[in-house]
Amino acid sequence: FGSRRSGPSDIVTPYSQVFCGVEEMAERYMITRDAVVEGAAVPEKVQLKLARNAALAEEKQKAVAAKKKDLEEQRASLKKRTQEYEKEYADHEKKLIDLRREAKLGGNFFVEPEAKLLFVIRIKGIIKMAPKPRKVLQLLRLRQLHNGVFLKVNKPIL
């Protein structure tokens, strides 16, 4: 059972990191800008590196601009959707207030709408628990203490 030293071959990189496209290029990665003095003899490998870096910089600039545009569009759509939801909630509240006032003017009672959703939390352990409540907790997927589930309100649940 000897000790094995870990080398570079032991490093596992995710598939997405190995084969990432231009659209996934992050802004934070810097592409080096190498300046060459005019008239100086430049080796072929350095010229190839300069050309590659220039192409990568151009691709990165396009990818960053496209990503920025997508984020702006996404933010605008989220803002629009949020405003629609806020309007919907305000209209619902206004409708409830109108119904309460109408009932009060007519001398009637207004029955508040009941919740449509429940959040059930398990707060008691299984020791000294009867079989039926234990089975109910099992069916509600409440196997551990302090677990919780959302339930839609219907006749069997109540």
Side-chain angles (χ1 to χ4, degrees), residues 3 13 29 47 61 109 153-155:
S3 65
T13 55
Y29 297 121
Q47 287 178 349
Q61 192 175 16
F109 293 103
V153 175
N154 53 24
K155 292 267 184 191

Side-chain angles (χ1 to χ4, degrees), residues 21-33 52-68:
V22 174
E23 61 276 347
E24 294 180 12
M25 193 179 297
E27 291 183 42
R28 65 178 178 263
Y29 297 121
M30 188 176 84
I31 297 173
T32 58
R33 293 185 184 193
R52 184 191 70 226
N53 283 352
L56 284 174
E58 186 179 329
E59 287 178 13
K60 178 185 170 185
Q61 192 175 16
K62 288 179 185 176
V64 166
K67 190 170 186 172
K68 186 176 181 183

Side-chain angles (χ1 to χ4, degrees), residues 40-141:
V42 180
E44 184 181 352
K45 290 286 186 182
V46 174
Q47 287 178 349
L48 290 173
K49 180 183 175 188
L50 291 172
R52 184 191 70 226
N53 283 352
L56 284 174
E58 186 179 329
E59 287 178 13
K60 178 185 170 185
Q61 192 175 16
K62 288 179 185 176
V64 166
K67 190 170 186 172
K68 186 176 181 183
K69 183 181 176 190
D70 288 344
L71 286 174
E72 287 173 358
E73 289 174 2
Q74 186 180 11
R75 182 172 288 173
S77 69
L78 287 173
K79 189 175 183 182
K80 182 181 176 187
R81 197 178 330 150
T82 303
Q83 289 172 346
E84 288 174 2
Y85 284 135
E86 285 177 354
K87 184 180 182 302
E88 183 180 331
Y89 296 147
D91 290 345
H92 182 69
E93 288 295 321
K94 207 176 286 185
K95 180 182 172 188
L96 285 177
I97 291 170
D98 289 342
L99 288 173
R100 285 188 198 104
R101 287 179 182 161
E102 199 175 303
K104 190 174 182 181
L105 286 175
N108 298 325
F109 293 103
F110 177 71
V111 179
E112 295 287 334
E114 293 184 6
K116 297 178 183 178
L117 198 65
L118 295 175
F119 185 66
V120 183
I121 302 175
R122 181 172 185 161
I123 58 172
K124 187 179 186 318
I126 207 163
I127 298 172
K128 296 183 182 178
M129 187 179 288
K132 281 201 177 178
R134 190 182 307 175
K135 184 65 178 178
V136 169
L137 289 174
Q138 191 178 357
L139 292 172
L140 293 177
R141 300 186 316 265

